[in-house]
Amino acid sequence: MSKVLDYLEAKLMLLAAKAAQQRHLCAIRGGYVSFMPFIIVGSAMLIISSFPNQAYQQFMTSIFGTSWASIVEIPFNAVFSTMSLFISFMVAYRLAEHYNEDQVSCGILGLICFLILTPFLKAESLGNVTVISTEWIGSRGLFVAMIGSLMWTELFCYIKRKNWVIKMPEGVPPAVQESFAALIPALLVVILVLAIRTFFAQTSYETVHQFIYQTLATPMRHFGTSYVGTLLTGLSITLLWSVGINSGSMVNGIIRPLWMENQTDNIAAIQAGMTPPHVITEQFFDMVWMGGAGATLSLVIAMLIFARSKNIREVGRLGAGASIFNINEPILFGLPIIMNPIMLIPFNLVPLVLITTQYIAMSLGAVASTTGVFIPWTLPPVISGFIVTGHISGSIMQIINLLIGAMIYLPFLRIIDKQYLATEKQG
């Protein structure tokens, strides 16, 4: 087992370190992190408008009128219906930040290029006014927004490094110099993007959006949000944590675009009074990671009830408060789990079992699927299960998973508990 851990530490640490520092992944992750507070705010407004309680709905209607829900959902629609616009700006902004270039100019360029690639429509109801198609500025346009912003920013920065810029005389304010320095690079990038749009207009795809969506986004989404893809996602997080790498935000940042459209579909279904069509969303994992990676709240429960050694009981008491809010570093490093051959077995096994039981329960309709609303990752289990599913079955599922996880952790916990107990008696 020690050889396996040594191999994981040597290989995975190197791989994870490179992935964590890779500029394009960092830009995508940073763009989403910057936008996440607004996604959560929009989701909170949807929870308020569609809280699954008839008495609540009647009470709100009696006070604010029959249209109160549609008014409350305006912020939600403003965020989710236009998120590709913001992501195109933020990803370019974060990549430019890596190159120490003008972040705002690159962000605006990323947004403009995204709009150039997005089809326009004639709105007859508005007097034949040309308007942008809303089909691609929500979650469906995320891949073009992300990939495009990376490409245009790379090209923009490359042209500037080649010094193909307009140089201003000395004494001109720096802000003016930056503006003129961006003219030629921005012009060349815009011409290229316009050529790409014109090219795809002559194909059967008609737009680059449709091309990317059919050939790249849809296959990746189907695999990434499949049962097997979900198992691999969970395992990658726990394997990296096994050697001390904080992998949750890194892996989520990569996979999140695949989850996003599923969540948008689920939200649309809820608003239409229908059953959410997708089981796997980011909130599916929010229900699994109770106590943090490895679902270690189950372990804490087992520690507090069954542990006999003073050391483990003390770690359990100290880590319980943080674990309720899905912070498990005190347990990971205090027990420890990381680099511990015995505890790493259930640490990696428990999430796979919980993912499986939850996936089966939701697929069979025994547990409500997640609605797609975003929640803060620190929201305590049981509460989070109810909010993300809008149904008490979500809470019950989490309680069942906690018990299953505790039973799997318990035999391994007893092994190290005996070791600690023997050491304490000798001391």
Side-chain angles (χ1 to χ4, degrees), residues 55 59 96 140 149 153 189 210 223 243 307 312 327 332 337 347 361 405 408 416:
F59 172 75
R140 295 189 73 185
S149 290
T153 305
V189 171
Q210 192 66 42
F223 176 74
V243 292
I312 291 183
I327 300 169
L332 294 178
I337 293 176
F347 180 73
I408 296 174
I416 63 169

Side-chain angles (χ1 to χ4, degrees), residues 79-146:
V79 172
F80 280 79
S81 299
T82 60
M83 66 170 62
S84 289
L85 300 176
F86 299 104
I87 292 299
S88 66
F89 178 92
M90 288 308 307
V91 170
Y93 183 98
R94 292 302 182 189
L95 185 56
E97 190 175 47
H98 170 83
Y99 285 120
N100 199 27
E101 285 288 352
D102 184 357
Q103 296 102 307
V104 174
S105 293
C106 288
I108 294 174
L109 179 64
L111 176 57
I112 289 174
C113 290
F114 176 79
L115 291 173
I116 292 173
L117 293 173
T118 304
F120 288 79
L121 303 173
K122 286 284 188 180
E124 296 181 2
S125 60
L126 299 177
N128 284 330
V129 175
T130 301
V131 296
I132 191 169
S133 171
T134 58
E135 179 183 8
W136 298 109
I137 63 175
S139 61
R140 295 189 73 185
L142 284 174
F143 271 84
V144 171
M146 294 184 301

